[in-house]
């Protein structure tokens, strides 16, 4: 079993190597009033390119940062110098949040040598490690389109698994949103959760220093939420970002085939007739 995260020490030792690519995947909710790209330009890990999950997305969908077509993704990844014959380390400025979405997106598009920096830029800066400013100018690569559909679920897939029980939905949103006690940050969405879903807020699996919790703690967290790790799992959240954090946590436990519901509550909460549960 290969751990999906790497430490700041490990990354520092490998910076500059020919078969390594570093990616800044920082992203923020509109209400946070921050720009991942602007912050990248002000400070990033040397050699890092910026992966914009909103720009590299399905432009035909009105849902936020949905996966684009394999062709479009391959073109964007190649333009950033990301190819399948190198190791890719993704980080974000939160610690572990949007980096997990980039990690999952790359894996869903056939990239296997992808890791997340444990603690992200926050830990890197706290350790007074080197940074750069401004734009990067990567050497473009040629990437063939691929798609690992087993890692992605649609609304139709979720409807089916609610009927068949083929997988357990695990929701990464905060408890108040999950129970329907707090309004959704995106307008026009119902409150609540998919019937039968478990709730593991993503900040439970990430420690206060922004690092992913150890395996034994992760097992206890999922067990406390009533999640059977021996049963297939599909993660969900508001828009597929923090659902990817849960997928990353499960990958640390050896469950590296966990699927993410790409549309998540941004889609489900607006679907007419989609079943919704309120409460625990």
């Amino acid at each position: 079993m290969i751990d999906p995260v790497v430490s700041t020490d490990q990354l520092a030792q490998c910076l500059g190597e020919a078969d390594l690519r570093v990616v800044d995947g920082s992203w923020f909710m509109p209400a946070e009033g921050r720009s991942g790209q602007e912050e990248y330009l002000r400070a990033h890990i040397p050699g890092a390119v910026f992966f914009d999950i909103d720009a590299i997305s399905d432009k035909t969908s009105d849902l936020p940062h949905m996966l684009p077509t394999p062709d479009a993704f391959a073109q964007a990844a190649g333009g950033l110098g990301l190819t399948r014959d190198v190791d890719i380390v993704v980080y974000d400025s939160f610690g572990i949040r949007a980096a997990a979405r980039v990690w999952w997106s790359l894996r869903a598009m056939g990239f296997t040598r992808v890791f997340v920096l444990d603690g992200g830029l926050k830990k890197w800066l706290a350790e007074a490690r080197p940074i750069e400013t401004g734009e990067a100018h990567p050497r473009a690569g040629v990437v063939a389109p691929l798609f690992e559909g087993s890692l992605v679920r649609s609304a139709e897939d979720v409807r089916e698994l609610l009927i068949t029980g083929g997988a357990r939905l695990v929701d990464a949103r905060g408890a108040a949103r999950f129970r329907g006690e707090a309004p959704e940050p995106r307008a026009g969405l119902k409150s609540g959760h998919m019937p039968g879903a478990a709730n593991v807020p993503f900040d439970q699996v990430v420690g206060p220093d922004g690092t992913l919790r150890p395996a034994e703690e992760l097992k206890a967290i999922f067990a406390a939420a009533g999640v059977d790790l021996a049963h297939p799992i599909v993660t969900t959240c508001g828009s597929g970002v923090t659902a990817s954090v849960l997928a990353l946590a499960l990958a640390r436990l050896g469950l590296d085939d966990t699927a993410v519901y790409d549309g998540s509550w941004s889609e489900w909460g607006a679907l007419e007739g989609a079943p919704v549960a309120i409460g625990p």
Side-chain angles (χ1 to χ4, degrees):
M1 184 175 68
I2 299 176
D3 199 336
V5 303
V6 297
S7 70
T8 50
D9 281 341
Q10 288 174 304
L11 178 59
Q13 291 169 13
C14 298
L15 272 185
E17 292 186 358
D19 62 347
L20 173 70
R21 301 291 182 272
V22 183
V23 177
D24 187 323
S26 299
W27 169 89
F28 302 94
M29 289 284 291
E32 292 178 283
R34 297 171 65 180
S35 164
Q37 186 165 30
E38 289 177 4
E39 295 189 15
Y40 162 82
L41 292 173
R42 289 197 294 268
H44 57 263
I45 294 175
V49 296
F50 183 69
F51 188 109
D52 188 334
I53 66 172
D54 287 324
I56 304 175
S57 65
D58 182 359
K59 300 305 181 184
T60 68
S61 174
D62 59 358
L63 298 170
H65 40 253
M66 294 285 284
L67 284 176
T69 65
D71 284 322
F73 191 96
Q75 184 174 359
L80 292 174
L82 306 179
T83 54
R84 296 190 182 91
D85 59 348
V86 298
D87 292 324
I88 300 172
V89 176
V90 189
Y91 71 88
D92 62 51
S93 54
F94 182 88
I96 293 180
R97 186 169 65 175
R101 171 72 186 194
V102 179
W103 166 84
W104 170 77
S105 299
L106 285 162
R107 293 177 66 245
M109 294 295 174
F111 290 75
T112 58
R113 296 167 60 177
V114 191
F115 305 87
V116 170
L117 180 63
D118 211 11
L121 185 63
K122 179 169 67 173
K123 191 170 189 292
W124 185 269
L125 293 175
E127 295 167 349
R129 298 187 187 272
I131 59 169
E132 287 182 341
T133 62
E135 292 277 5
H137 301 284
R139 177 181 296 178
V142 177
V143 178
L146 287 176
F147 182 62
E148 295 294 340
S150 64
L151 297 178
V152 186
R153 292 292 181 271
S154 66
E156 291 73 22
D157 296 329
V158 172
R159 285 183 186 274
E160 182 176 356
L161 71 85
L162 289 180
I163 295 170
T164 64
R168 182 73 184 276
L169 284 161
V170 183
D171 195 321
R173 292 176 300 156
R177 287 173 63 191
F178 177 84
R179 295 193 297 259
E181 298 168 356
E184 287 296 305
R186 294 177 176 85
L189 300 181
K190 297 184 285 289
S191 294
H193 59 268
M194 296 92 165
N199 185 211
V200 179
F202 89 98
D203 55 6
Q204 290 187 5
V205 305
V206 178
D209 62 350
T211 61
L212 192 63
R213 292 191 182 277
E216 290 307 312
E217 292 184 21
L218 293 175
K219 290 177 183 177
I221 289 166
F222 284 105
V227 179
D228 180 359
L229 299 181
H231 191 64
I233 294 169
V234 174
T235 63
T236 182
C237 62
S239 66
V241 174
T242 58
S244 301
V245 178
L246 295 190
L248 181 74
L250 290 163
R252 166 161 275 185
L253 300 179
L255 304 176
D256 58 2
D257 57 351
T258 300
V260 170
Y261 172 22
D262 195 10
S264 284
W265 200 257
S266 293
E267 180 176 38
W268 194 265
L271 281 178
E272 185 174 351
V276 173
I278 300 293

